[in-house]
Amino acid sequence: MEVLINTSLQRGAATCTSSSWFHVKTNLILNPSSHTLLSAMKTRAPLWLSTVVSLALILTSCSKKEDAQSNGPSKGKEKIFVMIPKGVHPYYEPCYEGFKDAGAKYGVKTEYLAAKAFEVPQEVEIIENVIARHVDGIAISALDDQGLVPAIEEATKAGIKVITFDAPAPSSKALTYIGTMNEAAGYSGAEQLIKLMNNEGEVAVLQGGLGAPNLNDRFKGFERCLKEKAPNIKIVAREDEQGKIDMTVNKTEALLQAHPNLKAIFGVSAEVCPGAAAALKQQGKAGKIILAGFDDLPDTLAGIRSDVVNFCIAQRTYKMGWLSVGKLVEAMDNKPLPKEIDTGVIIITKANADSYMQDMKKEFAK
Ligand code: BGC
């Protein structure tokens, strides 16, 4: 197990700062008895050490709580729903914001537990830990399909309601998937790109992990659209950057070297536009190579405003988090859930970069 972090988050994607990428705010999950020790540690010990120790404390306290409690989800007690993303990444900040806000509305306690890296064993271990704590509901963004099947089955057997948000695990027993219809979104991304590329040329695709069905579906839709509508556009590379911005920068540099005629870069995950934009700027190629992709991280929006990024496909992340709580509540009331719930996407260009967020927030005006 590496690091578990409970991020304290600002509402809306527009409020994520690029610094949060490198320094995720660490409001570690504390229980009263561990608080003093951790405060002292924070002043003297490096962050990773205090984080690892806090995790040990969390787990110790959890197993104690477990001894004292009966098996199965707590009845009549405050319910606990946990959001488990693929790993630490600013993309999930608005997801958890929606989750937390809905938790307050429904009177459910919410937690956010993120592994340090996008690695399946780490995500599985987090799921196992919350099963041991008998939480009531889990919302997972699946880093992998098959790899999560046993852990989701175990949680289900333990009476915990499990759903997926953002990234589905179709082979698992998760009760529903809440998020983007990814194949269709990848297809419409390609439609936009075709116009910008004038129906021809070389495009490279960057992807944050090759195991997640959501990203593979996007690529599938993207590729299908090019085959159907623009056979003169060639995908010359598809690279895995593991959800990391520094790796995206390096991969982009390598792509520029290997493919001197590259006309466009398309990102199927959130870190691509910020990372590729940085590399293009460094190489004096900003605005000369078409850059587009998923998600509306602040650096992507800045890139759109300054003509480094042509467009992005914004997912409704706050809504994913909000609906996750609503559907977990319904599941606890034994209501049937649909197999999937489409949260929709919005294409962002310079024309709507400054207004779309306000429009999206209206839906959740409190
Ligand atoms: C995806 C997430 C992924 C994130 C960062 C988003 O586009 O929907 O599943 O974790 O990018 O890679």
Side-chain angles (χ1 to χ4, degrees):
M1 168 66 61
E2 294 229 22
V3 178
L4 296 183
I5 292 172
N6 182 18
T7 53
S8 152
L9 306 165
Q10 304 289 309
R11 181 171 179 179
T15 56
C16 310
T17 62
S18 43
S19 63
S20 67
W21 183 282
F22 299 102
H23 307 287
V24 173
K25 290 177 224 158
T26 52
N27 280 346
L28 298 165
I29 300 168
L30 302 176
N31 48 66
S33 57
S34 62
H35 187 265
T36 321
L37 171 60
L38 276 174
S39 307
M41 285 190 59
K42 272 191 193 161
T43 55
R44 282 176 234 133
L47 178 62
W48 68 265
L49 183 56
S50 68
T51 309
V52 168
V53 171
S54 75
L55 172 60
L57 289 167
I58 294 161
L59 296 181
T60 313
S61 95
C62 295
S63 55
K64 273 189 197 141
K65 208 166 124 202
E66 193 187 326
D67 292 344
Q69 278 175 1
S70 60
N71 287 333
S74 45
K75 294 258 156 20
K77 294 207 179 114
E78 185 182 42
K79 302 283 180 274
I80 301 176
F81 291 171
V82 184
M83 173 172 272
I84 303 178
K86 289 179 181 174
V88 171
H89 196 296
Y91 166 80
Y92 291 104
E93 295 187 0
C95 299
Y96 185 60
E97 194 64 20
F99 196 73
K100 200 175 57 176
D101 287 353
K105 185 193 160 206
Y106 287 98
V108 173
K109 187 167 180 260
T110 58
E111 290 180 11
Y112 179 81
L113 299 177
K116 194 178 165 205
F118 280 27
E119 284 176 18
V120 181
Q122 289 189 29
E123 192 171 37
V124 167
E125 201 167 348
I126 291 179
I127 298 170
E128 281 167 355
N129 287 332
V130 298
I131 296 172
R133 289 173 51 207
H134 301 304
V135 301
D136 300 279
I138 309 176
I140 304 169
S141 170
L143 188 49
D144 191 63
D145 181 28
Q146 291 298 332
L148 294 193
V149 167
I152 292 178
E153 172 136 24
E154 202 189 317
T156 306
K157 276 193 187 142
I160 299 170
K161 303 298 177 196
V162 183
I163 62 161
T164 53
F165 76 99
D166 171 60
S171 311
S172 77
K173 288 213 155 70
L175 297 168
T176 187
Y177 160 67
I178 300 169
T180 299
M181 296 299 112
N182 289 294
E183 224 262 346
Y187 195 97
S188 63
E191 284 179 320
Q192 299 296 319
L193 199 67
I194 289 170
K195 291 183 221 154
L196 295 171
M197 291 182 75
N198 238 336
N199 287 294
E200 58 177 19
E202 296 181 358
V203 59
V205 174
L206 287 163
Q207 178 168 334
L210 298 178
N214 68 332
L215 305 185
N216 289 336
D217 284 352
R218 287 175 200 173
F219 180 76
K220 217 162 101 193
F222 181 81
E223 194 180 35
R224 183 165 66 82
C225 179
L226 294 185
K227 274 191 193 139
E228 285 172 10
K229 298 197 165 173
N232 289 335
I233 295 182
K234 197 169 165 231
I235 301 175
V236 291
R238 181 191 186 193
E239 293 287 333
D240 178 13
E241 37 70 10
Q242 294 172 22
K244 295 180 181 157
I245 196 157
D246 51 347
M247 198 177 282
T248 307
V249 174
N250 294 342
K251 293 270 176 171
T252 306
E253 285 167 358
L255 283 171
L256 295 175
Q257 276 235 318
H259 303 283
N261 296 323
L262 196 66
K263 195 166 177 182
I265 296 173
F266 186 76
V268 292
S269 36
E271 59 286 343
V272 175
C273 284
L280 290 180
K281 279 192 218 156
Q282 268 163 25
Q283 310 247 328
K285 292 193 170 156
K288 293 180 186 150
I289 290 191
I290 298 160
L291 174 59
F294 275 78
D295 301 311
D296 52 351
L297 292 184
D299 286 350
T300 300
L301 294 174
I304 288 178
R305 292 187 186 104
S306 60
D307 297 316
V308 182
V309 178
N310 296 71
F311 70 89
C312 72
I313 302 165
Q315 302 186 76
R316 321 258 301 195
T317 42
Y318 183 89
K319 186 175 184 177
M320 289 180 202
W322 179 280
L323 289 182
S324 293
V325 170
K327 294 299 153 192
L328 282 172
V329 167
E330 285 180 24
M332 295 209 60
D333 290 341
N334 294 317
K335 292 196 181 135
L337 300 183
K339 203 168 152 257
E340 48 188 27
I341 297 166
D342 182 5
T343 43
V345 293
I346 307 175
I347 305 269
I348 313 295
T349 62
K350 221 173 175 176
N352 59 351
D354 294 320
S355 59
Y356 81 100
M357 186 54 78
Q358 283 312 108
D359 295 342
M360 284 208 306
K361 279 184 177 174
K362 276 184 200 147
E363 196 178 350
F364 293 96
K366 287 181 207 163

